[in-house]
Amino acid sequence: MPKALPTKLDGVVLVEPEVFGDDRGFLVETYSAGRWRAMGIDVDFVQDNHSRSSGGILRGLHFQTSPGQAKLVRCSRGRIWDVAVDLRRDSETYGRWEGYELDDETHRQLFVPVGFAHGFCTLSDVADVSYRLSSLYDPATEAGIAWDDPDVAVEWPISEPMLSERDKTAPRLSEIADSLPW
């Protein structure tokens, strides 16, 4: 049976699924609504995305403002450092982050609830990342904060990542805090 491992931020869930392996390979259940609901992931997912990144890539820190977007993230190939940042202004952990390694061996997943920014960097030569989303992607409500915001101070395990233009110019959390919907 899958289990929820302890996390520091309220609402974030680190899922450790049961992996059945033998000489032929493995089988892992990556989602079952009832089992995931029992671990605190009570979300109706409406979209699945898949990204591939080469080594040294950092994507994030991204979020959707309206209606917000929860994500269930897993790395189906390679290894990533996956990060969630609490953007809920009334939260005791506002502006704090936590990160976990996700890979294709343990098959752990990270649930990032609405009100959090999300990002990851690749720790392997190639990484495939799959996301289950609670709302449809809407470019009109996409937003982000700087991956290297000193006030958030995420401890990324890579020092000079390759970034998109959007991520290179993302604002600091303090610059957008008043406009956050949470």
Side-chain angles (χ1 to χ4, degrees), residues 144-156:
I145 60 171
W147 69 278
D148 59 350
D149 183 332
D151 295 329
V152 177
V154 173
E155 295 175 16
W156 296 102

Side-chain angles (χ1 to χ4, degrees), residues 1-3 15-22 24-32 35-36 39 72-77 102-110 128 130 132:
M1 288 293 269
K3 61 183 175 183
V15 176
E16 184 170 77
E18 191 170 5
V19 181
F20 302 94
D22 60 25
R24 300 168 298 157
F26 70 88
L27 171 80
V28 63
E29 182 180 67
T30 61
Y31 181 73
S32 172
R35 289 197 231 317
W36 269 242
M39 291 184 285
L72 180 61
V73 183
R74 68 186 184 92
C75 182
S76 57
R77 176 183 182 192
L102 305 181
D103 61 41
D104 61 5
E105 292 181 23
T106 66
H107 301 279
R108 287 182 175 169
Q109 301 173 6
L110 190 65
D128 283 3
S130 298
R132 293 207 126 184

Side-chain angles (χ1 to χ4, degrees), residues 125-180:
D125 291 339
V126 175
D128 283 3
V129 179
S130 298
Y131 314 74
R132 293 207 126 184
L133 306 174
S134 67
S135 64
L136 297 175
Y137 170 73
D138 181 356
T141 67
E142 73 179 351
I145 60 171
W147 69 278
D148 59 350
D149 183 332
D151 295 329
V152 177
V154 173
E155 295 175 16
W156 296 102
I158 60 175
S159 57
E160 295 184 30
M162 289 187 282
L163 303 164
S164 69
E165 285 305 313
R166 171 186 171 201
D167 292 342
K168 287 178 185 176
T169 60
R172 291 173 62 165
L173 178 55
S174 62
E175 295 172 321
I176 64 164
D178 291 341
S179 66
L180 293 173

